[in-house]
Amino acid sequence: MRFALIGQPNCGKSTLFNSVAGYKAETGNFSGTTVTFTESRVRVQGQVVELVDLPGSYALDGLNPAESETLRYLDSREGDVIINVADASHLAQSLELTFELLPLNRPVILALNMVDEAMRLGLRIDGEGLSRELGIPVLPLVASKGRGVKEVFVRTVKIKDESGKMKDEERIQNSVRFAGIQKLTAQERHVRAREVAGRFVTRGEKRVTWHDRLDDVLLHPVWGYAILLLVLFGFFQAVYGMGKIVEPPVLAFFNTLTKGALRPFGEATFLSEIVLGVMQGIAAGVAIVLPYLLPFLFGLGLLEDIGYLPRVAFLMDAFMHRIGLHGKAIVPFILGYGCNVPAVMSTRSLEEPRDRYLAAALATLVPCAARLAVVFGLVAFYLGPLAALSLYMFNLLVIAVTGRVLSQMMPEDTPGLILEIPPYRVPTLKNVTSKAWFRVREFVIEAWPVLIAGSAVLAVLNYFDFAYIINWFVRPFTWLMGLPSEVGVPLIFGILRKELSLVMLGQALGTNNFSTVLSSSQMMIYATFVMFYLPCLATLSVLKRELGTRSMLAISALTVLVALLAALFMLGLTKVLL
């Protein structure tokens, strides 16, 4: 038995999926987050059900790649029942998709999500009347709070059982009933949806709430940007503060643990070097990466669930157009701060190939959570959070200049941004924590073993004096940037996982106290280069799959060029300032 979740972007479809399947899909308040379908098995009334979260789609006949993916799946006839998740506060808009689903002659349930928000806006929906009009079950739902979730799935199982017993005459009647809908054009569906919503939605008086007053400030053309800077500053201070509290004692503990682990093997032996490398990899993951990564991802999820990130997208629309991109391209940028892989994948939500290429290229320059470890573990820890924040501001400047140059080379008009701003919501601790764990789990399961293995490999290279070969290969770059030749190995291994460029830096330089071997200028330059140069292996793989080998190689070369120029600029700047 298989249920397919389908709905327009920002309707809460993935939130419903996560509430029953665990956190296995990105949940966001902006469109374009879910660009491929996600599957999971759940148990409903003793039966195992395959639950499929399809990409957010405004229409099935659209040219958007995500919508094409949804239509392709529905055409495959794999779903037994369609759960159409609709935003109750925007019913007319949501019903346009519903009218496309009804003619598929498959059981459909309309789940009216966010009914609490609709009530706040003074809207009352006659669910029973709407159900009679459409001929399908219509159920209220507040997925973010778990209200009505059980009822939706219990009713879905029931309608599946009922459809199996449906007689041929009833099937024919349903086909006749929806034949007219199937022939509707997009404009006619729009008119019909407004007419139906007008009959079954009662509009009360909307009160001006604190949400509206808050938006007047947060979206203000002047104060909005000032508050954004304050939010970012506070965010960086919080992440830095928590990391600085945790890192020193944990590092001290692992230093003691490492000394104990090395005693049985003697000094400077082959086995002792490997054990040292493994222990350094473990310690770096626990003491250097996680203290910054975990609060960063938790804070990002908090801002996402509150509803502030879509407002950031609205504020940044003008910026996106100045670099020659559609405002919708802000989605890959925001996702990029978590991980560049979903950032590149989300470019499917852009209609034009030119926009997809530009957005993907620039998204790889966004410092992901792994690069965050370098910025915070190196720059923020030794030079302070303001230095780290300045690097992120510099990153935006470099992306803007790069985007401007690329857009001049690939000129094309870009339309304005049509963005639905979701209401503010009170985030739940469970959802934010699950979201942070889902993202941290990738580091624990995938990245951390690579860090440990990489540290062990570097230990072997150092023992046999092979590291100098890699350092010699990278020396033209490190010499130009005024960096020690030993940083070549961490930079090369950083292509596998960006955390390695920090974890292995301590091993390559012989100490985790970087202030004794690197100047303030060198820390800034190294962090700048790591922020921009070659994406990690996983991102390169996604670039190849989404855009092709030529585009992947071109974007890779671009990142190296941008990284080198940015590092050289930082070299000159630090000579003046420091």
Side-chain angles (χ1 to χ4, degrees):
M1 189 183 302
R2 180 168 294 185
F3 299 162
L5 288 176
I6 181 171
Q8 296 183 340
N10 202 42
C11 69
K13 173 179 54 63
S14 293
T15 301
L16 175 60
F17 177 87
N18 296 328
S19 68
V20 295
Y23 200 83
K24 296 182 181 178
E26 290 289 335
T27 304
N29 290 324
F30 38 81
S31 63
T33 301
T34 310
V35 293
T36 57
F37 66 83
T38 306
E39 294 182 289
S40 182
R41 290 186 176 183
V42 297
R43 189 174 294 276
V44 182
Q45 290 190 315
Q47 301 186 53
V48 176
V49 173
E50 293 280 349
L51 187 62
V52 184
D53 182 21
L54 295 173
S57 306
Y58 286 108
L60 298 181
D61 56 358
L63 299 178
N64 188 304
E67 293 166 350
S68 300
E69 184 78 16
T70 299
L71 181 59
R72 189 180 307 117
Y73 184 88
L74 292 176
D75 282 344
S76 69
R77 308 289 299 180
E78 292 186 5
D80 296 310
V81 182
I82 297 172
I83 302 177
N84 178 202
V85 182
D87 183 353
S89 62
H90 297 84
L91 184 59
Q93 176 182 315
S94 300
L95 285 177
E96 293 184 42
L97 177 61
T98 306
F99 285 138
E100 286 194 88
L101 297 174
L102 294 179
L104 297 178
N105 196 26
R106 223 175 303 180
V108 177
I109 282 189
L110 181 60
L112 296 180
N113 194 25
M114 294 182 279
V115 291
D116 55 339
E117 177 62 21
M119 293 176 66
R120 188 187 71 80
L121 295 173
L123 303 177
R124 297 292 183 272
I125 301 174
D126 178 7
E128 293 183 2
L130 184 60
S131 177
R132 288 192 298 269
E133 173 71 20
L134 300 178
I136 59 174
V138 176
L139 299 175
L141 177 68
V142 183
S144 62
K145 299 177 182 177
R147 298 176 187 169
V149 173
K150 180 179 179 181
E151 289 78 4
V152 166
F153 284 97
V154 168
R155 188 69 181 91
T156 305
V157 171
K158 185 178 179 181
I159 197 176
K160 168 61 175 66
D161 294 338
E162 291 173 349
S163 67
K165 301 174 184 177
M166 188 182 295
K167 298 178 182 179
D168 291 337
E169 309 90 75
E170 294 176 288
R171 297 181 193 279
I172 294 172
Q173 289 175 4
N174 281 346
S175 297
V176 173
R177 176 182 177 83
F178 300 127
I181 298 177
Q182 192 169 18
K183 297 178 182 178
L184 291 178
T185 64
Q187 178 62 28
E188 289 169 335
R189 284 196 301 270
H190 175 73
V191 173
R192 175 88 184 272
R194 290 179 63 87
E195 183 269 327
V196 171
R199 284 196 286 125
F200 296 101
V201 178
T202 303
R203 297 182 177 274
E205 182 179 352
K206 178 185 176 182
R207 295 170 297 180
V208 177
T209 65
W210 64 269
H211 301 81
D212 303 303
R213 295 190 178 95
L214 186 58
D215 271 345
D216 290 340
V217 178
L218 293 183
L219 299 180
H220 190 273
V222 176
W223 296 114
Y225 293 100
I227 292 173
L228 174 60
L229 288 176
L230 286 176
V231 170
L232 291 176
F233 176 73
F235 187 33
F236 272 69
Q237 284 283 9
V239 173
Y240 163 73
M242 294 181 67
K244 192 170 185 179
I245 292 173
V246 174
E247 181 178 346
V250 176
L251 269 180
F253 169 76
F254 272 99
N255 285 337
T256 304
L257 199 64
T258 301
K259 290 178 182 178
L262 289 175
R263 286 195 190 103
F265 301 98
E267 292 186 7
T269 65
F270 179 70
L271 285 178
S272 69
E273 288 296 319
I274 293 180
V275 171
L276 177 62
V278 170
M279 291 301 296
Q280 287 177 333
I282 296 173
V286 177
I288 298 179
V289 178
L290 284 179
Y292 298 105
L293 183 63
L294 189 57
F296 175 82
L297 294 177
F298 186 88
L300 188 67
L302 196 65
L303 293 175
E304 199 174 357
D305 282 8
I306 287 173
Y308 185 61
L309 289 189
R311 287 157 176 85
V312 174
F314 182 85
L315 286 171
M316 297 299 290
D317 180 46
F319 169 78
M320 300 304 293
H321 280 284
R322 287 185 180 276
I323 64 177
L325 273 172
H326 191 295
K328 196 176 180 181
I330 194 66
V331 173
F333 279 52
I334 292 175
L335 289 177
Y337 285 100
C339 178
N340 288 163
V341 171
V344 173
M345 291 176 65
S346 70
T347 59
R348 296 180 188 176
S349 63
L350 301 176
E351 288 77 10
E352 298 298 326
R354 177 257 189 196
D355 286 348
R356 287 199 291 274
Y357 179 87
L358 277 181
L362 297 179
T364 60
L365 300 177
V366 174
C368 63
R371 290 164 172 164
L372 165 90
V374 181
V375 175
F376 275 92
L378 187 61
V379 176
F381 187 80
Y382 291 100
L383 306 180
L386 278 177
L389 181 60
S390 69
L391 268 184
Y392 271 76
M393 294 297 102
F394 179 63
N395 175 266
L396 286 176
L397 176 63
V398 171
I399 289 175
V401 172
T402 305
R404 188 67 177 171
V405 172
L406 290 178
S407 64
Q408 293 294 325
M409 296 170 63
M410 305 169 65
E412 185 176 319
D413 292 332
T414 53
L417 174 65
I418 301 175
L419 178 67
E420 179 184 344
I421 301 294
Y424 294 100
R425 301 188 180 100
V426 178
T428 63
L429 181 62
K430 178 183 177 182
N431 195 45
V432 175
T433 304
S434 298
K435 184 178 296 188
W437 164 242
F438 175 74
R439 292 165 174 169
V440 168
R441 186 178 59 182
E442 180 191 0
F443 168 76
V444 174
I445 295 176
E446 298 181 15
W448 203 3
V450 175
L451 300 187
I452 297 171
S455 295
V457 170
L458 180 56
V460 173
L461 291 176
N462 285 331
Y463 183 81
F464 291 107
D465 292 328
F466 287 158
Y468 80 92
I469 299 176
I470 298 177
N471 291 329
W472 175 83
F473 178 75
V474 186
R475 189 54 185 157
F477 291 91
T478 55
W479 175 78
L480 275 175
M481 295 184 288
L483 296 174
S485 61
E486 291 82 1
V487 305
V489 170
L491 288 177
I492 291 296
F493 276 81
I495 300 173
L496 299 177
R497 294 287 308 192
K498 288 302 174 183
E499 298 95 338
L500 283 172
S501 57
L502 177 66
V503 172
M504 300 181 71
L505 180 64
Q507 195 174 356
L509 296 176
T511 177
N512 282 325
N513 185 4
F514 298 118
S515 61
T516 63
V517 288
L518 294 175
S519 66
S520 299
S521 174
Q522 288 175 323
M523 291 181 190
M524 292 290 288
I525 294 166
Y526 184 79
T528 299
F529 188 79
V530 171
M531 284 178 76
F532 295 107
Y533 89 111
L534 283 167
C536 68
L537 200 60
T539 305
L540 290 172
S541 176
V542 172
L543 282 171
K544 180 181 178 181
R545 188 176 71 232
E546 297 293 324
L547 303 176
T549 302
R550 288 185 59 184
S551 295
M552 182 268 288
L553 292 175
I555 290 174
S556 299
L558 172 70
T559 62
V560 174
L561 177 61
V562 170
L564 185 59
L565 292 176
L568 292 177
F569 177 84
M570 187 60 66
L571 173 63
L573 185 64
T574 52
K575 282 184 177 179
V576 174
L577 298 179
L578 302 177

